[in-house]
Amino acid sequence: MHKHHSALGLAAALRPVQPVTLIRPHAAQRAARFFVEKFPGRSLYAVKANPSPDLLQILWDSGITHFDVASIAEVRLVSKILPEAELCFMHPVKAEEAIREAYFNHGVKTFSLDTIEELEKIQRATRHASDLTLAVRLRVSSDHSKLSLAAKFGADARDSAELLMATRQAADTLGICFHVGSQAMTPKAYLEAMEQVRAAIVAAAVTVDLIDVGGGFPSVYPGMEPPPLEGYFQAIHDAFESLPISYSAELWCEPGRALCAEYASLLVRVERRRGDELYINDGAYGALFDAAHVGWRFPVKLLREPESNTRDMPFSFYGPTCDDMDHMAGPFMLPGDTKAGDYIEIGMLGAYGCAMRTAFNGFGDVETVEAEDEPMASLYMDESEDPVRKPGTVVSIKRL
Ligand SMILES: *Cc1c(COP(=O)(O)O)cnc(C)c1O
């Protein structure tokens, strides 16, 4: 793989025709160490956010030993790359064949569920194994998050007592898990969910050995600057300590976005300008799904030397396919003289960026290059790198 000192240097030297994924291993390493050292429990990586083998290896080398997988393909992938990793199959609706293969061929013992039917399926598929960790997924509110995960999965309060009691009978270790929605903008999201956990435990009167607060930890994007992660960790710790659970109970979390958003950015070329619309060579069917379909705003930067001194103005983007839906409204703030042939870096695409790429209309090809410069924004810069910054404070979008 090529290595470059900076995104600008790469654009100038290679003038790539296809989009380039810029990866920053040091940024993923920094995020993983932050969670490993500061989260008051165990941090699992949610593989769906970015299943790249390089990233999985970096996270493992940085102390992440448990991985939240949701499909049999993710199980196979992680067990191949990291044979000693502990895999947790946290999709509440699984194929029976997938459970069987995960348990018997890959040693997976941790599963989530949100119905009696899924509990029975897990029992059948594992031939009533007695060494299972079974986590009941509760439905909690996504009110404090930018992307809801409240509709599809999770047992409601009125069903959870019966389900917890039945799962207690089947499980060696009984857990409760939830997901507050992705990009939770306040620690309150977790506090409110933990109150629902408390109510569920009290109603079921069962001994719970594991609380898994899921993902949802934020990263930083234009217009979405969350408070420091330490505040989330403290709130979760305090709520966990006050739950009526066994003394030896464990606390887990499953960050996806927060561990990998800073890991990658995207280098694109402007192929055409029409007023305030830029036609670029990646889009909704590539790494910009969220920018197109949920209006996510990613930081952008014109990579030109000498730097443009024209004032920024708002642009929208069109992707390369022939589809009108291949449109990213933004607004993306770029110098007013941005033109065809220019290169733009789109930042914070390590999570739910490269992972969503398709080959629709012949535009799936992308090169990957390692960059040594800093991501366009970071939640993890520490004092050793910049004495004015405290660990975990939000660093605003940084011009390189
Ligand atoms: C998607 C997902 C995660 C990761 O969520 P982030 O918002 O990226 O942190 C964790 N757990 C489960 C069960 C998920 O579905």
Side-chain angles (χ1 to χ4, degrees):
M1 192 187 303
H2 289 297
K3 211 175 196 175
H4 264 269
H5 185 63
S6 70
L8 176 62
L10 164 76
L14 299 188
R15 306 210 59 80
V17 177
Q18 284 171 339
V20 176
T21 302
L22 290 167
I23 56 165
R24 294 181 171 83
H26 69 281
Q29 196 177 64
R30 190 163 53 200
R33 291 205 175 130
F34 187 93
F35 268 85
V36 168
E37 285 165 19
K38 299 192 183 211
F39 183 76
R42 188 186 295 290
S43 302
L44 286 67
Y45 172 56
V47 172
K48 81 165 184 283
N50 185 336
S52 119
D54 290 331
L55 174 62
L56 296 174
Q57 188 67 51
I58 293 163
L59 296 176
W60 171 265
D61 292 342
S62 308
I64 301 287
T65 55
H66 288 50
F67 293 79
D68 160 10
V69 287
S71 60
I72 194 62
E74 286 183 356
V75 170
R76 292 175 192 148
L77 172 78
V78 183
S79 41
K80 184 161 158 232
I81 295 165
L82 305 170
E84 287 171 56
E86 191 85 31
L87 305 186
C88 305
F89 209 151
M90 304 307 277
H91 192 309
V93 184
K94 297 168 286 296
E96 196 158 329
E97 294 84 348
I99 300 167
R100 192 178 310 130
E101 180 182 333
Y103 181 80
F104 288 105
N105 300 4
H106 303 285
V108 178
K109 299 196 187 320
T110 302
F111 299 89
S112 77
L113 59 112
D114 61 1
T115 57
I116 294 278
E117 291 75 14
E118 186 75 8
L119 173 62
E120 290 166 354
K121 200 197 285 176
I122 294 169
Q123 289 187 286
R124 273 195 310 273
T126 62
R127 295 197 202 112
H128 295 265
S130 59
D131 58 356
L132 299 177
T133 294
L134 298 179
V136 171
R137 169 100 168 237
L138 296 187
R139 183 197 304 281
V140 301
S141 147
S142 275
D143 287 353
H144 300 291
S145 302
K146 294 290 179 182
L147 286 176
S148 172
L149 274 84
K152 193 167 180 182
F153 300 133
D156 287 319
R158 65 174 180 281
D159 307 323
S160 67
E162 191 194 343
L163 184 56
L164 279 166
M165 286 188 273
T167 309
R168 177 73 277 178
Q169 301 298 312
D172 178 40
T173 300
L174 174 64
I176 293 182
C177 61
F178 57 81
H179 198 301
V180 298
S182 205
Q183 185 75 5
M185 293 303 290
T186 160
K188 252 199 265 171
Y190 296 88
L191 288 179
E192 291 173 12
M194 289 293 239
E195 280 314 306
Q196 284 179 251
V197 170
R198 173 194 306 283
I201 295 172
V202 169
V206 289
T207 306
V208 172
D209 316 300
L210 165 69
I211 302 292
D212 177 352
V213 300
F217 298 93
S219 185
V220 52
Y221 305 89
M224 288 188 263
E225 301 212 342
L229 286 175
E230 276 98 338
Y232 291 72
F233 294 176
Q234 189 65 49
I236 290 167
H237 173 78
D238 294 347
F240 175 73
E241 289 293 317
S242 74
L243 286 178
I245 47 181
S246 85
Y247 280 114
S248 55
E250 284 191 47
L251 175 64
W252 290 7
C253 67
E254 305 166 348
R257 179 184 304 282
L259 284 179
C260 62
E262 298 177 22
Y263 173 63
S265 65
L266 183 70
L267 183 65
V268 296
R269 188 166 76 176
V270 179
E271 303 295 1
R272 176 187 175 185
R273 174 171 174 177
R274 184 176 76 180
D276 59 0
E277 298 164 324
L278 300 176
Y279 292 60
I280 59 175
N281 60 351
D282 203 7
Y285 297 92
L288 297 172
F289 182 98
D290 281 352
H293 298 294
V294 285
W296 209 268
R297 286 179 59 210
F298 294 93
V300 291
K301 183 171 48 176
L302 178 63
L303 301 177
R304 195 199 282 166
E305 223 170 26
E307 235 176 81
S308 167
N309 48 25
T310 312
R311 193 200 297 232
D312 281 357
M313 59 171 271
F315 285 96
S316 65
F317 294 156
Y318 272 113
T321 70
C322 304
D323 193 335
D324 266 5
M325 279 208 309
D326 196 355
H327 179 249
M328 287 63 63
F332 301 101
M333 298 303 293
L334 288 162
D337 65 346
T338 301
K339 59 182 190 310
D342 276 329
Y343 285 88
I344 296 168
E345 185 181 9
I346 307 175
M348 315 302 285
L349 276 166
Y352 308 111
C354 351
M356 322 275 279
R357 183 177 293 287
T358 75
F360 176 55
N361 224 174
F363 290 104
D365 282 351
V366 62
E367 204 186 339
T368 302
V369 174
E370 189 176 319
E372 292 167 332
D373 55 359
E374 290 300 344
M376 289 169 75
S378 180
L379 280 177
Y380 305 107
M381 295 290 199
D382 71 21
E383 286 154 299
S384 62
E385 283 150 298
D386 185 336
V388 298
R389 291 188 183 121
K390 294 263 179 358
T393 51
V394 172
V395 179
S396 58
I397 307 306
K398 196 175 150 203
R399 301 269 162 196
L400 299 171

